[in-house]
Amino acid sequence: MDVQVDRTDAGSSDEKHEAVGKASDCPPTDGVVSVGGVPAQTYEAIDGTTVVIPRGKPKSGRTWKNLRTKRHSDIKKDKPLWTTWNKKMQQRAEKQSIKLFQKELKELKQKQMEEKRKRQEEHKKHKLENERKSEIVQPIRNTAKIKRMKKKQLRQIQKRDTGNIGRVVNEVK
């Protein structure tokens, strides 16, 4: 870490060797002493020289990090550019038209989904009707047969209206 020493008097060559770090190599600073780009703490020695106290090792161990000199709130922020009333109204109208367009697109998509759902329901309904029409059924007139049937056969039995007005008949697929 570089340490700068600001000497007020032009001392002898012995005093130059007492300087800590690379103070003799550093360009003169106008009374402002910094260590690693951060203003450092200094004290004045008995012989009238200003000695810089080097910055210690950070607790985190990240020696390459610089100390924060300004707070975030001190950073200058650009004021927003003021717009004219007409421009503001134009932007508002544009935004409203975009929202309206988005709403129309949503409604169109929803309408298409609803139509698709209705077509699917009708297709399913027609398919079921066609299946029922094409089924080969065998009406059971003797109900005593049901008692003699096995479980697998009983699972296949369904009650259906075979088109005889209101008359319900047991059928086997």
Side-chain angles (χ1 to χ4, degrees), residues 35-40 55 58 62-75:
V35 175
V38 178
R55 199 175 122 215
R62 296 176 181 176
T63 55
W64 61 92
K65 295 266 187 173
N66 292 332
L67 278 178
R68 185 176 64 167
T69 56
K70 288 185 178 179
R71 293 190 177 274
H72 182 72
S73 59
D74 289 343
I75 297 171

Side-chain angles (χ1 to χ4, degrees), residues 30-46:
D30 300 323
V32 178
V33 180
S34 66
V35 175
V38 178
Q41 292 181 344
T42 60
Y43 72 92
E44 194 154 328
I46 299 169

Side-chain angles (χ1 to χ4, degrees), residues 108-142:
L108 182 68
K109 192 174 182 180
Q110 194 173 7
K111 196 174 185 180
Q112 288 175 347
M113 292 294 283
E114 185 68 26
E115 287 175 1
K116 185 178 178 183
R117 190 183 59 80
K118 282 183 181 179
R119 279 198 313 272
Q120 285 176 342
E121 283 180 8
E122 285 185 25
H123 180 71
K124 209 180 235 184
K125 189 177 178 183
H126 284 295
K127 192 174 180 181
L128 191 66
E129 283 178 18
N130 289 339
E131 277 183 20
R132 294 251 168 106
K133 282 180 188 176
S134 65
E135 282 179 345
I136 299 170
V137 294
Q138 180 183 353
I140 300 172
R141 291 188 176 21
N142 185 5

Side-chain angles (χ1 to χ4, degrees), residues 10-11 13 23 47 55 89 92 97 116-117 126 139 160:
S13 62
D47 59 349
R55 199 175 122 215
M89 286 295 135
R92 189 178 286 176
S97 67
K116 185 178 178 183
R117 190 183 59 80
H126 284 295
R160 291 278 170 81

